[in-house]
Every structure is written in C-alpha cells, then in structure tokens.
Amino acid sequence: MTASLSIRQVGKRFLSRGTIVHAMSDVNLEVGEGEFVTVVGPSGCGKSTLLNILAGLFPPSSGEVHFRGKRTRGLNPEIGYVTQQDNLLPWRTLRKNVLLPLEFRGVSVSNGVAERVQTLIDKVGLSGFENHYPHELSGGMRQRVNIIRTLICDPKVILMDEPFGPLDAQTRLTLQNQLLELWREERKTIVFITHDLGEAITLADRVVVMTGRPGTIKSVSPVTIPRPRDVYHIHDSQAYREIYDKLWEELRDEVAKVM
Amino acid sequence: MAKTDEVKSTPPEDLDLLLPPEVTGARLLWWRVRNAEELRWVRVAALRLIFGVVMIVLWEAVSGRLIDHRTISSPSLLVTSFFEISDPANPDGSLWVHFSYTVENTFWGYLLGALAGILFGFVLAEIDVVALVIEPFIMAFNGVPRIAYAPLFIAWFGIERQPKIILVMTIVFFLTFVSTFAGIRGVSRDLINVSRVLGGSKLAILRKIVIPSASPWIFNGLKISIPFGMVGAIVGEYIIADKGLGYLLQRYNNEYYTTGLILIIFLLMILVIMVNQVLNWAEGRALRWRPTSRMGQETVIPG
C-alpha cells in the first residue's frame, strides 16, 4: 500500500487569551491510497485542527505533512474538504453551488462537465432539485450537495469533518450508505472525523482513536468486516460488536479524562 | 437511491376543506374572498384605501367646524393651493422648481455619499489595522448631530447647492459606510475557508462570496439613508437658501401658511415612498435567493 497522506510528528499550539494551548502533539499517521480512515476522540482533542492542517488552511507548529511523498505547504488542489456545516452559498441554486469550484478553477462548463455534474446529482438522489436554493432543501440534502461539490473537482483525498453530525439518525444511515457507494466507485482516499463510534466502524478500513488534549494518537485499529457493508444491519454482526467494545474501552478512558 | 427527506415547504391547503359543510351560496363566496391566499393583496389594498379615505373625510369634516382651518388646513384647501403653487406663473417660482432643486441636491449627495461609503466600507473592512486606528474617529464624526455641521459647510462652500449636497453626502456616507463595513466583517469565515480550499483566488472570493454575502447589509444601508439624506437637503435649505422645499417650509412657517407646510410634507412623503419602491424592487431582484419575508420591507422615517 503506497501512502497517500503521511503525517509526521505533527503538533499544533495556539495562543488563546494569553496562554499557549497545546491542541495536538506528536501525531504520526500514514493513510494509504484509496483508504478510508476514520478518527474518533473526545471533544476538544484537536480532530478538526488535524483536518485543517491536512487541508493546508494553516501550517502545523511542528512536524510535516506529505502528500504522495512530497511535503505540502499551504492549500493543495488535490485535497477536498467537507465541513460539518454545509457552507453552501444561499444565493446560488443547487447546481450553481456544485459548479462553484469549477468556476474557481476556470473550468468552462462544456457538455462533458455538465454531464458529470448531472451524474453526481443523480447519484445522490437530488435530481429534480437542481434549481432549488439551499433554504428550500433539507439538512440531509444540503450535506449531499456539499459532498458532491467537493467531488466535482475530482480530488485524490477527501477530508470530512463530522459531515453527518447535525443530521437525524435515519438520514445519517442513508448518507453513510451513499458515501460508501461513492467511495467504492471513485476510490478516493478519505479521512473522516466523527464523534459516533458506530459510524466510524461502519465506514472505515481503519479507526484512529485520539486522546484528549493535547491530542495524539492512542490506537489505530483495522476493521476487518468485509465489504460491501450493509450500513443498516452491520450493528447486528459479531465482528462489529467485538471491535465496538474494544474501541469503546479505549475511548471511554479518554472521554472520562475530559469530563 | 431513495430520497429520505422532502423539500421544506408548506403544502397548498385546500381551503374549502376547512369550511363547515352547511356554508353555501353567497356566504360561501364571501368566505372565499375573505380567506383566499391569492386575494390577500387585494384585501389589504382595499382596507388601506378605506382607511385613507376615512381619514381624509374626517379631516375635511373637522376642519373649519371643530378646529380652525388655519391651524389644520383641509384636504380641499390643499388641492386648491397645490394648483396655485405649482402654477408656472407663480412669482416665487413654481413648486416644481423648488421640488426639483431639492431632489437634485439629494440625488447627487446620495449618489456620491453612497459610493464613497461603500468603497470605504470595503477597504476598511479588509484592512484590520486601518479599521482599528480609524474607528474612534469615525464614531466621533458620526456621533455629532448632522445639523451642527451645516453652518460650517455654509461658511466653506457658500449658499448655493454645494453645502446642501455635501451635507447629504456626509449623512449618507456614514450610514452606507457602517452597514457595508458590518456586512463585510460579517461574512462567514467558514465560507471563505471552504472557498479557499475549493480553489478560489482572492479576487474570485471577493466577487463570488464576499460581495453577495454583504449585499443585504449594503442594501439596508442604502435604504435607511434615503430619508436621512433628505433630512440633510431640507435642513440645508432651511438654514439658508432661495430655492428648494426646505426654503419653502421656512417661508411658509414665517407666513403661518399651514396649508403650504402640509402640502410639502405630503410631497416629501410621496417622494420617499417612490424612491423606496424603486430600491425595494432592485433589492428584490438582486436578493431573489433570500427566503421571502414580510418583515424588513419598510424604511424607517427619522424624526
């Protein structure tokens, strides 16, 4: 397995109200090409900070991030970022929101591009809503638009920061299922943060457990449940229960420390 | 893939389903007129018309009977003096000469003030240091009642148009500046970061994210400055001028000519409403994406 992203000794310190806060320290992780990695940890453990660094929004205080063997500095067009809030532009229709990154990159909307946009819209079940504005869509629909807006540029890596956090349980399952299908077809490398351990196991090739602040990696566990997975029934399987219990043991200590 | 969630919107209700079954004939028709959603606008307009007519009739009835017509004038007096004053042969200059003088001054002051306000708002909101340094100064200049500047402007710029235009400018400038500044400062950080990750250049983000995000604020500033700007023009003329509606107000006041005073008040009302309609229309077009709301369409008239 070749490494897509490699995170080496990454740490981050912030100045907050006059004191230095160690958000993260000594994070080491290799993410393989086409791998699906999920990250869980107590709140405030620097999960989002890690993604912001991987996205290149700000530099780490220490350590390095490499993408396909090359050290990254600043934003990288090969890396897409799906945020927890959908961050759609309220003055643009669904389709125009999906087109935004193409406009940013100066891609003219040829037939081929329009077709790809439509294919993605259809794939996530949003056909018929192309000309709706975000306020006319439900939370789940908006989050799907957010995801395909990231996919449209065909990034090699997608970072996802609790993308299904604000959604209700049923919608979340549907979107997990859709995400797995998209991932199987497009074979992206995904780093996915969640506070839901079940979601982390359902989706991942490997689950990363982080410690409380300063956040660092406590364990990395492979999920051997075969694919394709049935997101609606995976919770009943023995393998799922075993890994859930094991990871919850690890996570519980960290959560207890923060409380 | 099945859709699990539907678009958020209220389904159109079948009104007749809400009705007791014994209602029929003329009562049914009347009920529909009272409740049909499509007729809402017509109902409101009809009620407003009735209200306005009742007020005018009451006014006419009271004037000269209960209250001296020299104090409160009357609708019929207004109509006759309107034709007298607007006559081109009027030795003081027709009403329209004064009207267009005020409108022109307001227009130029408004245009220049708004352009400068929006421009400064943009620049200062983008440059933190400048904003930090200049803020207390702006608050200080803005805090002074605008009328206090008028004598100084007259001393500097004479008694012609310029001091009036500049007075309007200063008023409109601060209002549009403050709202533009707040609008740009309020643009979501997340939205900008997401756009950066999606490959947006600084210029593209300004054009596609910042300006549209701030535009409701800018429109709001433009709208609230209309009546305030007009205050500037009128006050400028009231202090010293030989033309304009403010000059007429001052003259009629000296002559205790209440009909003339009330006439000009109505004229100003009509003017503000018209300009406001134009801006509402422009805003509606520019901000079509916003969820429709019935609030926030009216302009506050300053005291």
Side-chain angles (χ1 to χ4, degrees), chain A residues 211-240:
Chain A
T211 65
R213 181 172 285 175
T216 190
I217 290 177
K218 179 167 187 171
S219 74
V220 181
S221 316
V223 180
T224 49
I225 303 169
R227 295 184 190 271
R229 293 178 191 163
D230 177 355
V231 301
Y232 304 101
H233 297 104
I234 191 169
H235 313 84
D236 304 332
S237 77
Q238 185 59 33
Y240 176 91

Side-chain angles (χ1 to χ4, degrees), chain B residues 181-252:
Chain B
F181 186 84
I184 305 257
R185 279 298 170 114
V187 178
S188 149
R189 268 278 112 199
D190 290 345
L191 215 52
I192 290 178
N193 276 338
V194 162
S195 304
R196 285 174 58 208
V197 174
L198 291 174
S201 64
K202 267 204 137 107
L203 187 69
I205 290 175
L206 182 72
R207 272 185 45 222
K208 290 177 195 283
I209 312 291
V210 175
I211 293 179
S213 286
S215 59
W217 289 78
I218 299 173
F219 265 108
N220 200 37
L222 288 174
K223 271 164 74 175
I224 57 171
S225 13
I226 296 172
F228 283 96
M230 210 165 283
V231 169
I234 301 285
V235 164
E237 289 163 2
Y238 200 93
I239 293 172
I240 187 162
D242 56 1
K243 251 189 268 168
L245 295 177
Y247 158 76
L248 283 186
L249 279 174
Q250 191 254 2
R251 254 196 53 189
Y252 294 162

Side-chain angles (χ1 to χ4, degrees), chain A residues 112-129:
Chain A
V113 171
E115 216 170 274
R116 166 133 171 95
V117 172
Q118 195 57 50
T119 310
L120 280 172
I121 291 174
D122 295 345
K123 217 181 267 182
V124 294
L126 289 174
S127 349
F129 295 98

Side-chain angles (χ1 to χ4, degrees), chain A residues 57 75 79 81 83 87-92 100-101 103-105 125 127 129 132-133 135-136 138 140-141 144 149 171 174 177-178, chain B residues 1-8 188 190-191 193-201 204-205 208-210 212-213 288-292:
Chain A
L57 279 171
L75 298 163
I79 297 178
Y81 194 173
T83 45
N87 283 312
L88 300 180
L89 307 187
W91 55 89
R92 282 178 171 239
L100 179 74
E103 290 174 22
F104 278 154
R105 283 154 205 239
S127 349
F129 295 98
H132 284 59
Y133 287 99
H135 75 264
E136 299 170 311
S138 69
M141 293 166 108
R144 284 181 243 178
R149 176 176 67 176
T171 310
T174 313
N177 195 31
Q178 247 168 25
Chain B
M1 190 80 263
K3 290 181 200 77
T4 51
D5 29 31
E6 291 301 318
V7 187
K8 285 178 188 165
S188 149
D190 290 345
L191 215 52
N193 276 338
V194 162
S195 304
R196 285 174 58 208
V197 174
L198 291 174
S201 64
I205 290 175
K208 290 177 195 283
I209 312 291
V210 175
S213 286
R288 227 173 329 188
W289 51 272
R290 277 206 301 194
T292 41

Side-chain angles (χ1 to χ4, degrees), chain B residues 172-187:
Chain B
V172 174
F173 170 81
F174 283 113
L175 290 171
T176 48
F177 166 78
V178 169
S179 55
T180 306
F181 186 84
I184 305 257
R185 279 298 170 114
V187 178

Side-chain angles (χ1 to χ4, degrees), chain B residues 28-43:
Chain B
L28 179 66
L29 191 69
W30 176 234
W31 190 88
R32 283 189 184 144
V33 169
R34 265 173 42 216
N35 291 284
E37 197 56 36
E38 313 88 79
L39 294 180
R40 176 193 197 92
W41 189 85
V42 179
R43 286 195 302 269

